[in-house]
Amino acid sequence: MSINNIINSSIISFCIIINVIILFFVLTSEVKKEKLSKTFTWVVSVNILMLVSYLFTAIFGGHPNPSYNLLLTYLSTVYQVSTQLLLLLHVKITLLSIEKKADVSKVTYYLAYIAAAAVGINLILSAISPLTKLYFYYDESNIVVFQSIFMLSNVSTFIWTVLTSFILISNRKPLSTKEFCALMSYVILPTAGLLLFIMSAGTIQFIIFSITICVVIYFAGIQSDLARQLEQKELELTQSRIAIMTSQIQPHFIHNALAAIKSMIRVDPDQAAEAIVEFSSYLRSNINSLSNTEPVSFNNELSHVETYLSIEQKRFRNKLNVTYDITERDFCLPALSIQPIVENSVRHGITSRKETGGNISISAHKINDEIVITVADDGAGFDINQIKKEQGLANVGIQNAKTRLAEMVGGTLEIQSIIGTGTTVTIRIPK
């Protein structure tokens, strides 16, 4: 093997390794099922196939052996067809990239069809070329000899270049800068490589490097855009789940407040009337925060809790004692995340002790780099394992609060309860 062949083989092998690594990362990524990612996988696979045919040509070229000549003929077919398939796949990726952001016009489709037709015709001619010696052939020493008609292959490539460039430039607006640059690189770099290939009388390194660089740019640009799309979809899914959970909590809160007023009507109608006015005013001023899927201020959430407890205190009179120990207010948390915890304290801490009533304490402090909120009662307590099995509204409120705290502010919710002693719920939110 000559020094020139060794150098060419080393360059091609290096490019093959780069493409294999990129293909591995694409196949193991979370966006591998996206249409654009699937087409890009085909681009890398075809490019590897083309580079392999280049590698064998570099290894066997210059050996005067008929068996080598037959092998090179088949590998040349692989090379020619792969080259044209890459251009067709680029047209597909271009259309998919535009379709993601905007509607594709009929003019764009027509130009894409013309570009694909030019490439398709050349693909057929390229496939039969090594056997018919239309574009080139290998002589007795397995050295490639180009025919004069080989320029026809370059003409179809330049037709594709012009039309694809026009499609990209005319549809620049809906594409991101990275996406546009990635797509244009596959138009500019291979065309430049082809020109250098023609000017240098068949030096293949220019084409090899240009296409490999394009694949790297594709991977950095298009895969990055696909990853952002996946993150956006996950964000939308999370917001959707939060909205559903919040909608479950709203009737839960209203049901408990109205139930408290209903009980109050039998004991003290005047206070019940006052509670109704207070509750209706509360609904009018806070209905937006009830349906809010974004974090709200602690003061806003505490106002919800105070209003609910005010109604419950009217119901239980001196049997419900509430104490507040608030030293930190400058933070946000999901709407209605403390509300269901306080309601559970009233239900299990007060109603379970009808004769003596009970106490509820609410605190919020900054400890190190965390906001620590506690809601404690001295009620009957419960078996934590048993409460996890319950499917009632109260448990729905607790579970939803726990999930929303984790997803919206990275917070945690822990429950400690001792039967006959009481329950303490601790919320921790990173400051």
Side-chain angles (χ1 to χ4, degrees):
M1 184 184 294
S2 65
I3 298 297
N4 187 54
N5 282 10
I6 293 174
I7 294 173
N8 287 339
S9 300
S10 301
I11 293 173
I12 297 168
S13 299
F14 175 72
C15 292
I16 289 174
I17 292 172
I18 291 177
N19 279 266
V20 169
I21 292 173
I22 290 175
L23 182 61
F24 172 78
F25 279 110
V26 173
L27 293 176
T28 56
S29 68
E30 294 182 357
V31 294
K32 63 182 178 181
K33 294 183 179 180
E34 296 284 342
K35 287 183 179 180
L36 193 57
S37 188
K38 287 180 179 179
T39 307
F40 176 66
T41 300
W42 276 103
V43 169
V44 181
S45 301
V46 171
N47 193 41
I48 292 173
L49 189 63
M50 182 187 69
L51 290 172
V52 169
S53 68
Y54 269 133
L55 179 61
F56 278 92
T57 301
I59 293 174
F60 297 126
H63 293 277
N65 190 309
S67 60
Y68 287 169
N69 189 279
L70 182 62
L71 178 61
L72 288 178
T73 300
Y74 286 112
L75 291 176
S76 297
T77 305
V78 172
Y79 151 66
Q80 287 288 306
V81 173
S82 298
T83 303
Q84 301 304 310
L85 281 176
L86 285 170
L87 301 184
L88 288 175
L89 287 170
H90 184 274
V91 173
K92 179 67 174 178
I93 281 188
T94 299
L95 292 177
L96 284 174
S97 299
I98 298 171
E99 285 174 348
K100 288 188 304 155
K101 307 291 181 65
D103 294 331
V104 179
S105 65
K106 290 183 178 180
V107 174
T108 298
Y109 274 121
Y110 291 150
L111 294 176
Y113 292 149
I114 295 171
V119 174
I121 294 171
N122 201 54
L123 186 150
I124 297 172
L125 297 177
S126 298
I128 64 175
S129 181
L131 302 176
T132 62
K133 300 182 180 180
L134 179 65
Y135 286 157
F136 62 89
Y137 66 92
Y138 287 92
D139 61 16
E140 293 79 6
S141 299
N142 290 310
I143 300 297
V144 64
V145 179
F146 291 98
Q147 305 279 35
S148 57
I149 198 175
F150 180 71
M151 290 301 299
L152 179 63
S153 173
N154 299 331
V155 170
S156 67
T157 302
F158 283 117
I159 292 174
W160 169 86
T161 300
V162 172
L163 294 178
T164 308
S165 299
F166 183 81
I167 290 171
L168 286 171
I169 294 172
S170 61
N171 291 275
R172 168 69 182 88
K173 189 174 182 179
L175 299 174
S176 66
T177 302
K178 287 184 178 180
E179 203 168 14
F180 176 76
C181 291
L183 292 168
M184 280 301 297
S185 72
Y186 214 106
V187 177
I188 297 171
L189 294 181
T191 302
L194 180 59
L195 288 173
L196 292 172
F197 172 78
I198 296 171
M199 294 169 60
S200 62
T203 304
I204 63 173
Q205 289 94 330
F206 300 116
I207 296 179
I208 292 171
F209 275 125
S210 66
I211 294 179
T212 301
I213 291 172
C214 289
V215 169
V216 173
I217 295 174
Y218 260 28
F219 180 72
I222 296 178
Q223 292 301 115
S224 174
D225 189 68
L226 286 171
R228 284 197 302 272
Q229 289 182 50
L230 184 62
E231 291 175 1
Q232 182 63 30
K233 288 181 180 179
E234 290 178 347
L235 178 61
E236 291 174 356
L237 181 62
T238 299
Q239 291 177 337
S240 177
R241 288 201 304 267
I242 292 171
I244 292 172
M245 289 187 292
T246 305
S247 68
Q248 291 175 327
I249 295 173
Q250 290 178 25
H252 173 53
F253 167 69
I254 296 172
H255 172 269
N256 279 273
L258 292 177
I261 294 173
K262 177 183 176 182
S263 300
M264 199 184 306
I265 290 173
R266 301 172 183 173
V267 179
D268 192 335
D270 291 336
Q271 276 206 339
E274 182 182 336
I276 290 173
V277 173
E278 184 180 31
F279 183 56
S280 62
S281 175
Y282 166 81
L283 288 178
R284 282 195 302 270
S285 61
N286 294 285
I287 194 66
N288 289 332
S289 63
L290 279 170
S291 59
N292 200 340
T293 59
E294 299 294 329
V296 299
S297 68
F298 173 70
N299 286 332
N300 194 343
E301 177 67 11
L302 188 61
S303 176
H304 283 269
V305 173
E306 289 173 338
T307 299
Y308 171 75
L309 287 174
S310 175
I311 296 172
E312 292 288 30
Q313 283 180 311
K314 288 182 173 64
R315 173 188 173 191
F316 290 104
R317 297 180 183 276
N318 59 350
K319 292 182 180 180
L320 173 59
N321 299 311
V322 182
T323 59
Y324 297 92
D325 182 13
I326 310 296
T327 61
E328 179 66 32
R329 294 175 177 268
D330 185 20
F331 64 94
C332 294
L333 72 173
L336 299 179
S337 55
I338 301 177
Q339 181 71 41
I341 298 170
V342 174
E343 290 177 5
N344 274 2
S345 292
V346 172
R347 173 176 295 182
H348 298 288
I350 305 304
T351 59
S352 61
R353 300 174 61 178
K354 295 182 179 179
E355 298 298 327
T356 59
N359 301 289
I360 295 176
S361 64
I362 301 172
S363 66
H365 304 287
K366 180 183 177 183
I367 301 177
N368 297 326
D369 293 329
E370 291 183 324
I371 302 297
V372 180
I373 307 165
T374 59
V375 178
D377 66 71
D378 57 359
F382 57 86
D383 184 349
I384 294 178
N385 294 325
Q386 181 63 33
I387 200 69
K388 290 179 179 179
K389 299 178 182 179
E390 294 182 1
Q391 299 298 322
L393 287 175
N395 195 33
V396 169
I398 295 293
Q399 291 302 319
N400 284 352
K402 185 174 182 178
T403 302
R404 289 183 300 118
L405 279 164
E407 292 188 348
M408 296 175 71
V409 294
T412 61
L413 187 152
E414 298 176 357
I415 302 175
Q416 294 180 326
S417 186
I418 300 175
I419 296 177
T421 300
T423 302
T424 300
V425 179
T426 303
I427 295 174
R428 298 180 184 276
I429 300 173
K431 178 63 176 175

